[in-house]
Amino acid sequence: MATASVAFKSREDHRKQMELEEARKAGLAPAEVDEDGKEINPHIPQYMSSAPWYLNSERPSLKHQRKWKSDPNYTKSWYDRGAKIYQADKFRKGACENCGAMTHDLKSCMERPRRVGAKWTDKNIAPDEKIETFELDYDGKRDRWNGYDAASYAYVIERYEARDESRKKYLKEQQLKKLEEKNGNESGEDGVSDEDDNEDDLKVDEAKVDESKQMDFAKVEKRVRTTGGGSTGTVRNLRIREDTAKYLLNLDVNSAHYDPKTRSMREDPLPDMDPNEKFYVGDNQNRVSGQALEFKQLNIHAWEAFDKGHDVHMQAAPSQAELLYKNFKVNKEKLKSEVKETIMEKYGNAATEEQLPRELLLGQSEREVEYDRAGRIIKGQELALPRSKYEEDVHINNHTSVWGSWWRDHQWGYKCCKQTIRNSYCTGAAGIEAAEAAADLMRDNLARKEAAEEMPAQTEEKKLATWGTDIPDDLVLDEKLLAEALKKEDEKKKEQKDERKRKYNVKWNDEVTAEDMEAYRMKKIHHDDPMKEFLH
């Protein structure tokens, strides 16, 4: 199906769309029609039939698959260089004063300036050039090879071939010259040994000449029209032969997987080896380092920005996504620096403060200290206990011990008065006795309460009234009022059964008496009553 634009559809709409496509493929539904009235083949894949988003096509169409931007006036022909159209015999009015051609003026004449122009000599009139104009499209105006003649490159090839031939000829002459010099110097030696040396020299020279041919090992050779179709490339110098192949680093069958088709091994074949001695840690290392990691972070930033409502898409507008990511990093660094400056202004920076003088750090004193032969202090310096940076042995509120010197029932307190409240005033031994007396009294009260709960008090059963409250002792129902209440209740039941008897103006009274509640209880239908069917 040729969809005009990619829109978000619900699950039900997507299911209906898929059913319609299957019906069109089976021939049960008519084919889709484009904006020109032509039917669209339902078997065309979606990636071919769906139009790009930037075309903004509202109806299904296959116009984007055709050459719909081509200009019929566009031509691939080029200027006919050096072509002449007319050769004049005498000078014409309006022609170039220098050469006499009508196609240009004196200012734009490309011929060598004459001492006396053709306007005055009326001789050697230049022919008129062929002037052509072409209508080129966007690509034609920017085609740097438009009008290029490939046959003109044959001159370049011939020049390079001539240079190679002369180079080979020169090398051959140098070899012959070396052989002649060597033969002249060693003419007095044995002839057999001389022939052997000459053969060796010739082999060495041939090997030197063949070194230039060995430089082709790094090039890529392509074999066209292979069995599987297409072309295949073979790289000769793939790697240094002294290197160990990836699949030979660890021969364990449970080690990292090696894919022979792509020649890749993603995991580390030697995970337990010292990282400083490894030269290969797997292909996944390339994905978490370098530009691959930056590209991954850029994608994550684009996804998070899109989730937060920004119109960012990495594939549709990569330049916009990268620019937004750069601005995000700049703003993030700026915000971090502002927060850092705010904290330093509030709390200060200990790193920039002036250090203490060396005299105070390594202070000297005139105190006399006496040591024995083993280096132990005999007198002059008492053993000082190490002290922390916190306050020690500070007693407040008349306490003789510090907070935390006493522990009981998962609570800290003072040892002098056994109190667990930190800001309390010390009461000494009297406070300890009072606390123990209060604890004893508390235990006695709890025991008395538990004993009282074991013997529950006898409660008299109260008779409830008909409307759910306690019945007063002096309650007396009036028989006459009770009869009237029963009559009203019957009329109310009739009105509920037949709504036509209900009056238009309804008078409502929310005052309920004891007789009304008794009548309501007597007329109420109890669903558990076996005689409820005989009440009416």
Side-chain angles (χ1 to χ4, degrees):
M1 187 197 78
T3 54
S5 60
V6 180
F8 292 101
K9 299 180 180 178
S10 62
R11 183 176 297 177
E12 187 67 22
D13 295 341
H14 183 69
R15 185 184 61 80
K16 292 181 181 180
Q17 187 68 28
M18 296 300 293
E19 291 178 355
L20 180 59
E21 290 180 5
E22 294 296 332
R24 284 173 177 167
K25 291 179 180 179
L28 302 177
E32 197 173 11
V33 181
D34 60 1
E35 55 187 7
D36 297 333
K38 298 179 182 179
E39 293 184 352
I40 299 176
N41 191 346
H43 298 283
I44 295 177
Q46 187 179 7
Y47 74 90
M48 295 175 60
S49 59
S50 58
W53 59 270
Y54 50 81
L55 293 181
N56 296 326
S57 58
E58 299 178 354
R59 295 190 58 188
S61 174
L62 292 177
K63 181 184 279 188
H64 60 278
Q65 291 288 349
R66 306 185 187 97
K67 196 176 181 181
W68 55 280
K69 271 192 173 181
S70 60
D71 189 1
N73 298 326
Y74 172 67
T75 176
K76 290 188 177 181
S77 59
W78 199 244
Y79 301 102
D80 192 3
R81 297 180 179 177
K84 311 297 181 181
I85 54 175
Y86 179 71
Q87 176 66 54
D89 297 334
K90 60 180 180 178
F91 183 80
R92 294 159 294 177
K93 187 178 180 181
C96 177
E97 298 180 358
N98 184 43
C99 64
M102 288 289 295
T103 52
H104 62 271
D105 55 359
L106 177 62
K107 189 174 182 180
S108 57
C109 183
M110 301 300 294
E111 190 176 331
R112 179 183 60 84
R114 302 180 184 181
R115 179 177 296 179
V116 181
K119 180 180 180 181
W120 293 275
T121 58
D122 207 9
K123 294 179 181 179
N124 298 328
I125 304 297
D128 298 340
E129 297 93 353
K130 185 179 181 180
I131 305 298
E132 295 178 289
T133 55
F134 302 108
E135 294 183 7
L136 303 177
D137 59 354
Y138 183 86
D139 294 332
K141 293 177 181 178
R142 290 157 180 82
D143 187 5
R144 54 192 300 233
W145 296 103
N146 196 356
Y148 174 73
D149 187 10
S152 62
Y153 194 71
Y155 170 74
V156 180
I157 296 175
E158 291 176 359
R159 185 159 55 90
Y160 275 89
E161 288 179 351
R163 190 190 67 176
D164 294 340
E165 289 293 335
S166 61
R167 183 172 177 271
K168 291 179 182 179
K169 187 177 179 180
Y170 174 75
L171 291 175
K172 198 68 176 176
E173 291 176 356
Q174 292 293 326
Q175 290 178 2
L176 293 175
K177 189 176 181 180
K178 284 183 179 181
L179 289 174
E180 290 176 358
E181 291 178 356
K182 198 167 188 179
N183 291 334
N185 294 331
E186 299 178 358
S187 59
E189 297 181 0
D190 191 19
V192 179
S193 61
D194 191 11
E195 291 178 0
D196 295 337
D197 293 339
N198 291 336
E199 289 178 1
D200 294 339
D201 293 337
L202 285 173
K203 290 180 181 179
V204 172
D205 294 334
E206 288 176 359
K208 289 182 179 179
V209 175
D210 291 338
E211 285 180 357
S212 60
K213 298 181 181 179
Q214 294 179 3
M215 297 171 61
D216 297 335
F217 279 101
K219 70 179 182 180
V220 178
E221 293 183 356
K222 290 191 176 182
R223 293 179 284 122
V224 188
R225 298 178 184 176
T226 57
T227 307
S231 62
T232 60
T234 57
V235 181
R236 290 189 183 179
N237 192 10
L238 188 62
R239 61 179 175 83
I240 303 175
R241 295 302 171 183
E242 287 79 6
D243 291 347
T244 307
K246 299 176 184 177
Y247 50 84
L248 296 179
L249 294 174
N250 192 350
L251 299 180
D252 187 6
V253 294
N254 296 324
S255 63
H257 174 69
Y258 175 75
D259 186 10
K261 186 175 182 180
T262 58
R263 298 178 182 176
S264 61
M265 182 180 287
R266 298 186 178 181
E267 298 179 0
D268 188 2
L270 300 171
D272 300 330
M273 189 176 177
D274 186 9
N276 298 325
E277 298 179 0
K278 287 193 293 187
F279 67 93
Y280 179 74
V281 292
D283 295 338
N284 282 340
Q285 182 67 21
N286 299 329
R287 302 189 179 192
V288 295
S289 60
Q291 295 182 352
L293 183 60
E294 296 179 1
F295 185 72
K296 183 178 179 180
Q297 294 174 353
L298 177 59
N299 275 328
I300 294 173
H301 174 263
W303 297 336
E304 293 177 350
F306 182 78
D307 292 339
K308 293 179 181 178
H310 296 280
D311 190 9
V312 183
H313 199 278
M314 184 60 197
Q315 282 72 32
S319 301
Q320 179 190 7
E322 187 173 1
L323 182 60
L324 289 176
Y325 182 56
K326 287 183 179 179
N327 295 337
F328 167 74
K329 291 195 294 185
V330 171
N331 295 335
K332 184 177 180 181
E333 293 295 332
K334 186 177 180 181
L335 181 61
K336 286 175 64 177
S337 62
E338 290 178 356
V339 172
K340 183 178 179 181
E341 291 176 0
T342 305
I343 295 175
M344 290 175 63
E345 289 178 0
K346 186 174 182 180
Y347 299 103
N349 188 5
T352 58
E353 293 179 356
E354 295 183 358
Q355 297 181 356
L356 293 175
R358 191 175 183 85
E359 292 78 8
L360 296 179
L361 292 175
L362 303 174
Q364 297 180 358
S365 63
E366 297 180 356
R367 182 182 300 176
E368 183 179 355
V369 182
E370 185 177 350
Y371 299 89
D372 61 359
R373 292 181 179 273
R376 294 185 292 269
I377 299 176
I378 298 175
K379 65 177 182 178
Q381 183 176 4
E382 292 75 15
L383 182 63
L385 295 174
R387 299 176 63 88
S388 66
K389 65 178 182 179
Y390 302 101
E391 295 180 351
E392 298 181 7
D393 299 333
V394 177
H395 306 294
I396 60 174
N397 295 335
N398 202 29
H399 288 285
T400 58
S401 60
V402 296
W403 167 260
S405 59
W406 185 67
W407 168 267
R408 185 177 181 182
D409 297 336
H410 303 282
Q411 287 183 337
W412 294 103
Y414 293 98
K415 186 178 180 180
C416 55
C417 58
K418 296 184 179 180
Q419 295 192 63
T420 57
I421 300 174
R422 185 165 187 174
N423 293 327
S424 62
Y425 192 82
C426 183
T427 55
I432 297 174
E433 294 176 358
E436 291 177 354
D440 294 339
L441 183 60
M442 179 67 71
R443 282 193 293 270
D444 294 341
N445 291 336
L446 290 176
R448 195 182 304 110
K449 185 177 181 181
E450 291 176 357
E453 289 178 354
E454 292 177 357
M455 299 175 61
Q458 296 181 358
T459 57
E460 298 180 356
E461 295 182 358
K462 295 183 179 180
K463 186 177 181 181
L464 298 177
T466 56
W467 55 89
T469 58
D470 296 340
I471 300 176
D473 297 335
D474 56 349
L475 178 62
V476 178
L477 295 176
D478 191 354
E479 297 295 336
K480 185 176 181 181
L481 295 177
L482 181 61
E484 293 179 358
L486 289 172
K487 187 176 180 180
K488 289 181 181 180
E489 193 68 25
D490 291 337
E491 292 177 356
K492 188 184 297 184
K493 294 283 185 181
K494 290 180 181 179
E495 288 184 1
Q496 291 178 357
K497 288 184 178 180
D498 192 0
E499 294 184 356
R500 292 177 297 178
K501 294 181 180 181
R502 182 182 294 176
K503 297 180 180 179
Y504 184 75
N505 295 324
V506 179
K507 294 182 180 179
W508 185 263
N509 187 9
D510 57 353
E511 295 180 0
V512 181
T513 60
E515 289 79 7
D516 294 338
M517 289 299 300
E518 183 67 20
Y520 171 74
R521 186 191 66 78
M522 293 173 66
K523 294 294 182 179
K524 183 180 179 182
I525 298 175
H526 297 278
H527 295 282
D528 298 334
D529 189 0
M531 301 297 291
K532 64 180 180 179
E533 301 294 338
F534 301 96
L535 292 177
H536 302 289

